[in-house]
Amino acid sequence: MIPVLIIPILTKPELLYALLDSINYPVGHLVVIDNGGCVDTSELTEHADKWCREITHLPLPTNLGVAAAWNLGIKLTPHAPWWMVSNFDVTFGGNALEMFDHMTRRDRVTLSHDSPEWCCFTVGDEVVAKVGLFDEGFYPAYFEDWDYRDRCNAAELPVRYTDIRVGHANSSTLSHFPHRNDISWPSNEAYYRDKVARADRSEGRWSITRRRANSWD
């Protein structure tokens, strides 16, 4: 069983419903972080209740961003041994979910074989205990995964690259915010490069200045 499946979404709920229709393996707790307030709860339940034992849908008034959404999903389910995190525009074919279940360990991050690998991954509770949560200074998206990879490597905890394939409609959200991403991408890259240069392996922090400057609202 997948203990917890965390899925943030900002736009295009039809892609989330397609993901849920593709689930073919038991999920203990589905947590949907609805950053765009675009998901219908009853429709979500209709698509998810076959395989998901518990469903939490959080429609939010503003976009928390990717790192904060991932963190919130973990904080809402603190007793899980590990968490699966997925983009909303992924689909699970074959035995991908079962393979994740079998390959995941509590002391490592396990990545998919799609592009990018972090479109679907698992993270164990021992990793979170040692490395911490994702840096919410990366807003609203991109480079939070590279930062976490670097922090895992520094903590000598393995990031496992696998041959688990999932279907991924890459960058589905960007079509709604291309000009805003032209601002936030280089800002997040500069923040990442600065952390690397300073050997900063911390969780960082949420910044109101970066939140406003990089806004996709």
Side-chain angles (χ1 to χ4, degrees), residues 19 21 34 42 49 57-58 60 67 89-90 96 109 119 123 127 131 152 159-160 167 183 198 211 217:
L19 178 156
D21 289 339
D34 189 358
S42 60
D49 64 359
H57 172 216
L58 294 178
L60 301 176
D89 54 359
V90 158
V109 170
C119 70
V123 55
V127 178
V131 176
C152 286
V159 174
R160 180 175 183 183
I183 295 171
R198 293 184 289 106
R211 169 64 179 83
D217 298 332

Side-chain angles (χ1 to χ4, degrees), residues 20-37:
L20 298 174
D21 289 339
S22 74
I23 292 176
N24 58 6
Y25 191 76
V27 173
H29 192 166
L30 171 68
V31 180
V32 175
I33 311 297
D34 189 358
N35 278 320

Side-chain angles (χ1 to χ4, degrees), residues 22-92:
S22 74
I23 292 176
N24 58 6
Y25 191 76
V27 173
H29 192 166
L30 171 68
V31 180
V32 175
I33 311 297
D34 189 358
N35 278 320
C38 62
V39 177
D40 179 87
T41 301
S42 60
E43 191 163 1
L44 168 67
T45 301
E46 181 180 344
H47 286 274
D49 64 359
K50 179 179 179 181
W51 289 101
C52 302
R53 294 185 180 180
E54 183 177 356
I55 301 169
T56 297
H57 172 216
L58 294 178
L60 301 176
T62 190
N63 179 12
L64 289 183
V66 169
W70 292 352
N71 290 346
L72 180 57
I74 292 171
K75 290 177 181 179
L76 289 171
T77 54
H79 300 292
W82 54 272
W83 299 265
M84 170 175 278
V85 179
S86 177
N87 287 21
F88 72 97
D89 54 359
V90 158
T91 53
F92 301 108

Side-chain angles (χ1 to χ4, degrees), residues 2 9 12 14 20 26 51 56 59 61 67 73 95 99 106 111 113 133 135 140 150 160 162 172-173 179 203 205:
I2 308 299
I9 181 171
K12 300 183 179 178
E14 66 277 4
L20 298 174
W51 289 101
T56 297
N95 62 342
M99 290 176 68
R106 298 173 71 171
L111 304 180
H113 190 65
L133 293 170
D135 185 347
D150 294 349
R160 180 175 183 183
T162 73
S172 298
T173 303
H179 302 300
E203 291 184 23
R205 64 181 181 87

